[in-house]
Amino acid sequence: VQLVESGGGLVQPGGSLKLSCVVSGDTDSGNCVGWFRQAPGKEREGVATILTNGDSPYISDSVKGRFVIPRDGAKNMVILQMNSLNSEDTAMYYCALADVPRAYCNGDSWRFRHWGQGTQVTVS
């Protein structure tokens, strides 16, 4: 299975970005797609997750009200819509895939076996 992120870049504070994650290959390898981020010197943080059938979206408290993980994307693509960005959102953003029971499709990175290469988001 392969995961490829896109959509990162440089944005001014208050701006928006839309990240995309395309999942290909053995997509039956997982049922839960997550977005994580890691800033230099900080631990990896779970930002948002959703089941591949579009159910059970999860948004972390740190971005709730600003980030959205829409339910209506294609089965093999997961979107992360990021609004009202600030400097604290600057990080490398990763897409990941897990095979977990519904209740465990959340921001725990250790549950995710397959990872993309990441896309850089810089807010400045």
Side-chain angles (χ1 to χ4, degrees):
V1 60
Q2 295 83 40
L3 298 98
V4 178
E5 306 94 336
S6 63
L10 174 64
V11 63
Q12 293 182 344
S16 298
L17 279 176
K18 184 174 75 173
L19 304 184
S20 300
C21 171
V22 175
V23 182
S24 61
D26 184 8
T27 56
D28 290 335
S29 295
N31 65 331
C32 170
V33 178
W35 283 100
F36 298 83
R37 66 184 182 184
Q38 188 165 19
K42 293 187 177 181
E43 294 186 356
R44 185 170 294 182
E45 175 190 8
V47 175
T49 61
I50 193 166
L51 293 172
T52 53
N53 65 3
D55 287 345
S56 302
Y58 159 84
I59 300 289
S60 73
D61 288 342
S62 64
V63 301
K64 193 167 292 182
R66 300 188 298 119
F67 290 14
V68 180
I69 189 164
R71 300 186 184 215
D72 58 353
K75 181 178 180 180
N76 67 332
M77 178 182 291
V78 177
I79 303 295
L80 181 68
Q81 178 66 46
M82 306 187 297
N83 303 313
S84 301
L85 288 162
N86 58 59
S87 59
E88 296 291 311
D89 299 315
T90 294
M92 185 70 81
Y93 283 72
Y94 299 91
C95 175
L97 183 68
D99 186 17
V100 295
R102 178 187 185 121
Y104 296 110
C105 184
N106 55 34
D108 294 334
S109 62
W110 62 269
R111 302 184 191 276
F112 290 78
R113 183 177 177 183
H114 305 285
W115 292 81
Q117 294 299 307
T119 184
Q120 177 68 38
V121 172
T122 302
V123 184
S124 178

